[in-house]
Amino acid sequence: MFFFCMVCLMLGMTISCKDKKPEVLTDSLSGDTAAVNDTVDTAAIDTVPEDAMDSLISATPMPVTADELFDDFLFNFTANKKLQYERVKFPLLVTDGDSVSTIDRADWNHERYFMKQEFYTLIFDDESQLDLAKNTKLDSIVIERINLHAKSVEQHVFNRINGQWMLTEIVRNNTYQTPNRSFLDFYEKFASDSLFQIQSMNEPVSTVLPDPDDDYTMIEGDFYPEQWPDFKPLDFPSDVIYNILYGQQYRKSRQKLFVLRGISNGLEAEMTFKQIDGRWKLVKLIN
């Protein structure tokens, strides 16, 4: 199911059309559940109790090719409890500030990350970093669990060892130690305050939307702050968000791309924020 805003024509936008095919999302997180196994009918198990579903998925071997692309591996890692225990390097090293400890296999709890949500989030500095998730040559990737209220970040470090992705370490930081701190402080208020969202719109915001009359054409235009409720992709997570570091090197940039990417539902929204006169503003929305 696609969650696109199709109201551009009725809102008086300035429209121009481009012959541009929408990008087809082929990774497991955003659409291709076949990476678990073609023999598993995911629609048929929607109503199966969770324990029985876990057993069914755990009995299904992960395709060897899933280790090539991290997103494919991650889908299997979170869905398949048996596989997850095989792909955590026990005793798992945990660094929490100045203290170091370990988690034994018997004390590990099945980690599902953002898989119970409809989407996950990503943060980039610019559009050139968007393709990093497709890089099959990466050997180290980090999943960040960011607690906006507590200002803390928990990083799960994955390394590819002998061709297989393994969770090798957890690093906990009590404060944001990242060039994204200014943006994260802004986003915390943006996500929870609808009036502040409108106040954080550029005038106008440029937008790119699928043409409702042509699957292969995108429509470009503008909208104004008062029209934001009609273009808003969804309710933003305002407590805990996730970010995946595919090797992007952050800097104290005055621009951030915040991406909402659906899990097997076709949702994708890219929002470009820029600091203008010292304030973060939404300047572009691709829906």
Side-chain angles (χ1 to χ4, degrees):
M1 178 175 59
F2 291 85
F3 293 81
F4 292 124
C5 176
M6 297 296 189
V7 297
C8 51
L9 295 177
M10 66 184 69
L11 290 174
M13 288 172 49
T14 303
I15 301 297
S16 65
C17 294
K18 293 174 65 179
D19 290 331
K20 175 183 176 184
K21 287 189 177 183
E23 180 180 357
V24 178
L25 302 174
T26 57
D27 60 83
S28 292
L29 292 180
S30 52
D32 182 8
T33 57
V36 175
N37 192 289
D38 291 340
T39 62
V40 177
D41 185 350
T42 53
I45 64 175
D46 282 346
T47 57
V48 176
E50 187 170 330
D51 290 344
M53 185 166 65
D54 284 347
S55 297
L56 175 63
I57 295 175
S58 293
T60 306
M62 184 182 79
V64 176
T65 55
D67 269 312
E68 294 180 2
L69 197 66
F70 181 78
D71 284 1
D72 289 345
F73 159 77
L74 182 59
F75 185 92
N76 285 269
F77 181 82
T78 54
N80 190 326
K81 185 176 182 179
K82 179 176 181 291
L83 173 71
Q84 184 168 130
Y85 276 80
E86 294 172 351
R87 294 300 187 91
V88 177
K89 192 176 184 299
F90 293 114
L92 182 64
L93 181 66
V94 179
T95 302
D96 191 344
D98 294 329
S99 67
V100 178
S101 60
T102 58
I103 299 175
D104 294 327
R105 180 185 178 91
D107 298 321
W108 179 254
N109 294 317
H110 186 192
E111 176 64 73
R112 295 186 183 275
Y113 298 113
F114 41 73
M115 287 300 179
K116 289 191 175 182
Q117 303 175 171
E118 290 185 346
F119 60 89
Y120 61 107
T121 56
L122 298 167
I123 301 172
F124 300 104
D125 277 346
D126 53 60
E127 293 180 357
S128 68
Q129 297 178 342
L130 289 171
D131 290 333
L132 289 172
K134 301 174 185 177
N135 188 347
T136 59
K137 305 299 183 183
L138 298 173
D139 290 321
S140 182
I141 288 178
V142 177
I143 297 178
E144 292 186 318
R145 181 187 286 117
I146 302 170
N147 189 313
L148 297 167
H149 299 331
K151 311 291 186 188
S152 64
V153 180
E154 182 172 283
Q155 296 183 320
H156 288 218
V157 181
F158 289 83
N159 290 294
R160 185 147 44 185
I161 301 173
N162 297 324
Q164 294 185 331
W165 285 106
M166 299 284 295
L167 174 60
T168 59
E169 184 181 5
I170 293 176
V171 179
R172 294 171 179 154
N173 294 307
N174 293 328
T175 58
Y176 295 152
Q177 297 178 356
T178 169
N180 289 333
R181 177 164 188 166
S182 171
F183 176 75
L184 290 171
D185 287 340
F186 158 79
Y187 173 79
E188 180 183 0
K189 185 174 182 180
F190 181 87
S192 58
D193 187 333
S194 58
L195 179 59
F196 183 69
Q197 289 175 14
I198 294 174
Q199 294 170 344
S200 301
M201 300 290 109
N202 194 43
E203 292 196 34
V205 178
S206 63
T207 187
V208 181
L209 301 170
D211 187 340
D213 299 320
D214 186 346
D215 292 339
Y216 298 100
T217 302
M218 304 296 284
I219 298 175
E220 293 186 349
D222 298 313
F223 69 87
Y224 289 83
E226 61 271 18
Q227 296 173 305
W228 169 242
D230 298 304
F231 286 84
K232 181 179 177 180
L234 44 76
D235 290 329
F236 301 102
S238 58
D239 183 12
V240 174
I241 64 173
Y242 290 86
N243 184 37
I244 302 179
L245 304 180
Y246 296 101
Q248 62 263 40
Q249 298 295 316
Y250 293 119
R251 57 190 183 277
K252 290 185 178 180
S253 170
R254 293 166 62 182
Q255 172 179 287
K256 296 294 176 184
L257 266 65
F258 188 77
V259 179
L260 294 166
R261 185 165 291 171
I263 301 173
S264 301
N265 61 16
L267 169 66
E268 174 111 4
E270 297 174 14
M271 292 175 288
T272 302
F273 293 87
K274 289 186 178 181
Q275 279 190 326
I276 301 174
D277 296 329
R279 293 184 57 193
W280 287 102
K281 294 278 190 176
L282 177 66
V283 299
K284 186 176 182 179
L285 171 65
I286 301 177
N287 215 340

